[in-house]
Amino acid sequence: MRIDILTLFPNMMTMFFEESIVSRAQKKGLAEIHFHDLHDYSLTRYGSVDDYPYGGNAGMVMAIEPLANCIEKLQAERQYDEVVYTAPDGELFTQKCANQLSLLENVIILCGHYKGVDERLREHFITREISIGDYVLTGGELAAAVISDAVIRLLPGVIGDEQSALEDSFQDGLLAPPEYTRPPEFRGWRVPDILLSGNHAKIAQWRYDQALQRTKERRPDLLEKNDN
Ligand code: ADE
């Protein structure tokens, strides 16, 4: 899978992508991430990509021309399945959305900034708008990193244990059950006996019961809208 991230701050992102499982995925050839500095597509001498909003509102708006030029240059090189725009008014990012994106070949993610982008860009170039939560960030870079991380870890071969991505919280609409490792007893706190029993069927049932109980207690909303 290839992800092209269009940003005003490419340096802000490289450290994260060079130090994580995502970097391992890149080294293994399972994922490619490319950064594009939007300043390089500026139409002005000063490299600016924003302008004052029509109608006299406060703040600046990212202009359509440099962004369109960058997107079209990429689209001339290969077919993109989605052009994602990160913005607080997009659809809320969920595991379901990560699953869908992980099945794609080529994705562009445009990181929003300032007061957002010229609406015509959203209408004519963007195919999916994603928010990572009901709060406002200074820019879309962290959102693009969150989306890329959640998507890339789902690609086959990226995380060691093939099963483990499937057993994540949310993957089956439930939170994940509790996990334990050695020692079996610490300060008198024991690992549940069932996990040491070797009875795989009973362990699977226990895990499911725990996942259900945890979801009921912490995120009952997940049980109501279970449309994964
Ligand atoms: N840009 C600013 N806030 C954002 C959010 N919550 N999600 C995605 N992009 C954003």
Side-chain angles (χ1 to χ4, degrees):
M1 176 181 199
R2 173 180 169 126
I3 302 180
D4 289 90
I5 299 181
L6 282 43
T7 168
L8 290 168
F9 302 103
N11 293 341
M12 181 176 159
M13 314 204 65
T14 44
M15 202 177 82
F16 168 76
F17 285 97
E18 280 164 11
E19 297 287 339
S20 59
I21 284 186
V22 173
S23 98
R24 251 182 36 211
Q26 293 193 79
K27 286 187 188 121
K28 283 197 206 167
L30 301 168
E32 269 181 56
I33 314 261
H34 297 269
F35 297 102
H36 305 274
D37 188 339
L38 289 167
H39 295 107
D40 295 341
Y41 296 83
S42 167
L43 299 181
T44 73
R45 269 195 292 156
Y46 313 103
S48 61
V49 290
D50 59 329
D51 210 336
Y52 295 100
Y54 279 120
N57 231 346
M60 301 292 271
V61 175
M62 288 169 87
I64 189 167
E65 283 161 298
L67 307 185
N69 287 344
C70 182
I71 293 170
E72 281 182 336
K73 176 179 173 284
L74 289 170
Q75 285 175 330
E77 292 164 5
R78 68 196 59 76
Q79 173 90 33
Y80 283 90
D81 305 297
E82 291 278 20
V83 182
V84 174
Y85 171 56
T86 58
D89 57 353
E91 73 175 287
L92 211 51
F93 189 56
T94 60
Q95 189 63 46
K96 183 179 172 187
C97 180
N99 293 348
Q100 289 167 351
L101 293 177
S102 77
L103 300 174
L104 305 179
E105 213 41 57
N106 300 310
V107 174
I108 289 174
I109 305 181
L110 167 64
C111 303
H113 253 277
Y114 312 116
K115 287 217 67 106
V117 298
D118 188 306
E119 189 65 20
R120 291 166 293 181
L121 191 98
R122 298 176 80 156
E123 285 167 8
H124 299 288
F125 288 88
I126 301 299
T127 59
R128 194 156 185 174
E129 306 188 326
I130 298 179
S131 162
I132 60 162
D134 289 339
Y135 40 79
V136 180
L137 301 165
T138 53
E141 280 71 18
L142 289 172
V146 166
I147 295 165
S148 303
D149 186 279
V151 168
I152 287 172
R153 65 184 291 285
L154 293 172
L155 301 177
V158 169
I159 47 179
D161 180 353
E162 291 287 338
Q163 265 308 93
S164 64
L166 291 176
E167 290 174 358
D168 289 337
S169 278
F170 304 113
Q171 212 39 284
D172 52 6
L174 297 178
L175 299 181
E179 297 287 354
Y180 300 86
T181 185
R182 287 182 295 182
E185 182 168 339
F186 176 71
R187 297 183 186 169
W189 305 322
R190 285 185 50 73
V191 172
D193 287 335
I194 183 83
L195 293 177
L196 308 176
S197 70
N199 184 330
H200 296 296
K202 282 206 166 139
I203 291 173
Q205 183 63 48
W206 180 86
R207 285 214 165 104
Y208 176 76
D209 293 344
Q210 290 288 317
L212 193 59
Q213 187 184 330
R214 190 162 271 208
T215 310
K216 272 185 194 155
E217 284 165 11
R218 300 182 183 190
R219 293 291 306 277
D221 57 301
L222 292 177
L223 297 172
E224 283 151 29
K225 61 158 194 244
N226 199 341
D227 64 346
N228 272 0

